[in-house]
Amino acid sequence: MTAKAKDTIINIGHVSKSFGDKKVLDDINLYIRKGEFVTFLGPSGCGKTTLLRMIAGFLEPDEGTISMDGADLKGVPPHKRRLNTVFQKYALFPHLDVYDNIAFGLKLAKKPQDEIDKRVRKVLKMVSMSDYEDRDVNSLSGGQQQRIAIARALAGQPKVLLLDEPLAALDLKMRKDMQIELKEMHQKLGITFIYVTHDQEEALTLSDTIVVMNEGKIQQIGTPIDIYNEPVNAFVADFIGESNILDGTMLGDRRVRFIDHDFDCVDEGFGVDTPVDVVIRPEDIYIMSNLDSAQFTGTVRTCTFKGVHYEMFIDTDEGYELMIQDYNSFEPGSRVGMIIKPSDIQVMHVECLSNVFEGEVYDDHTVTFLGGDFEARASAFEPGDRVCVDVPFGKVDLTDHKEDGTVSGYVETILYKGNHYHLTVRTEYGDKLFVDTNDVWDKNDVVGIRILPKDIHLTKSE
């Protein structure tokens, strides 16, 4: 991404980072504007905290550059960067009172005492703790300690404030209260906030811009509204809010087929008869008792009151399950009709259509891939030939006992697609494969992986 230099405070170009043989960040390109509230959002292990720590100066990238106000930060130690970090665990000094905790960095910088007094009073007022200068930090609640940590970071008058999951240790009510205070603080200060969280609601509440990350890569950058309404792939759609994610086929411009029905949509440029993922938010399916006016029909299986709305699971007549959120309730067992407007259908490109691996032929009936020797129809090749191995998602069999598989692995992600589960499985050797199944698995389940010879398709590798 590019931006006008006068608008940009942080510029990250082609940054990569590995720990051992694991690539934590893979070619990250991102700019952050002055005064912006940017959130790095993603699951544990996606690389968001590593990226924040590199901006802070606690880690150096293996490749690429990070600059601030146009100056390269390579080799610049954390204390010489015009930014401060607020950590999840606060990192307050237990032997110092509130005043001295906030003043600590200013004293190290040998600021005049009257300036220290002025700054401490100012930041305490910002965090609504003006009368707490002499309090022992151990006597404060978690929310109060977090305010002091933020005040200490602000006392140094940074151009950028980095916040690494700062609200994670707080209870739900206090976390929501602090979200409001952080948003107000950002608006008053006008400085750049860079925030790390795995909480999608927190990201939607706080941010001007959200950077969604997964497996060391940026999946999507956009405003909260863009990210929610226009996710670019199934991962983003599933991670941000509730979604119905379904297999579909783009019939042509503005026409898509899913749940065994054809629908008008607003998407173009996908081609004809192209496999796609379709996202429908639960609040965007209109439900009614009138079956004659409906696009499709089904039966209410469950109806749960959620405070603001009712959440219902509907079994369509074609065998799909949909989540619907509506202000009106429909009793379980009720026959209902449903309508989806064209503008409420989000069509996305699919990541891939089948599993493709590099392999090597061992003999006429054995091919090695995924770190194991699989039975396969390989008589058309010579031993030692490098081959491309293609396995459809629905042709991978998972077993409860890893010993029963040719290789083993664990369930990394689970995505429900209306009438089946789409799993990501990580093998014992670190390879990734996708599995479509009707069996119910839990995240991190250890599994054996079996593939029948007839389901392994081989072509000569270039």
Side-chain angles (χ1 to χ4, degrees), residues 43 118 152 188 218 232 245 255 298 409 442:
K118 183 178 178 181
R152 183 176 61 185
K188 282 192 293 187
I218 293 175
V232 296
I245 303 176
R255 193 73 173 163
D442 291 325

Side-chain angles (χ1 to χ4, degrees), residues 45-178:
C46 72
K48 58 188 185 293
T49 295
T50 299
L51 183 57
L52 190 84
R53 288 175 63 82
M54 286 198 290
I55 295 170
F58 301 124
L59 293 171
E60 288 286 345
D62 296 335
E63 301 172 29
T65 60
I66 300 175
S67 61
M68 182 172 176
D69 283 334
D72 192 345
L73 292 177
K74 183 176 177 61
V76 179
H79 68 279
K80 289 190 176 180
R81 301 186 182 197
R82 288 294 307 278
L83 44 80
N84 274 333
T85 306
V86 179
F87 300 98
Q88 180 179 332
K89 298 195 180 291
Y90 315 148
L92 297 176
F93 300 114
H95 62 288
L96 300 179
D97 62 16
V98 167
Y99 180 97
D100 286 330
N101 261 280
I102 296 173
F104 185 81
L106 302 176
K107 291 179 179 178
L108 280 182
K110 301 189 185 307
K111 298 293 182 183
Q113 187 60 47
D114 60 342
E115 184 178 346
I116 293 174
D117 291 340
K118 183 178 178 181
R119 287 201 200 180
V120 171
R121 284 195 300 271
K122 182 179 180 181
V123 295
L124 280 171
K125 186 176 181 180
M126 285 179 188
V127 298
S128 303
M129 295 194 68
S130 294
D131 299 326
Y132 286 76
E133 294 98 325
D134 300 325
R135 288 282 293 274
D136 182 345
V137 292
N138 293 315
S139 70
L140 303 178
S141 68
Q144 290 171 332
Q145 289 185 14
Q146 187 58 276
R147 287 189 183 95
I148 298 306
I150 292 169
R152 183 176 61 185
L154 293 174
Q157 298 179 336
K159 289 187 173 183
V160 180
L161 185 64
L162 309 176
L163 302 109
D164 187 6
E165 303 207 48
L167 310 184
L170 304 180
D171 63 46
L172 180 61
K173 184 179 185 309
M174 194 175 293
R175 192 159 67 241
K176 289 187 177 297
D177 290 344
M178 281 300 297

Side-chain angles (χ1 to χ4, degrees), residues 263 284-288 293-296 337-341:
F263 295 86
D284 289 335
I285 302 176
Y286 294 86
I287 183 171
M288 65 196 79
S293 302
Q295 293 172 321
F296 59 102
M338 289 156 282
I339 291 175
I340 307 174
K341 294 181 178 179

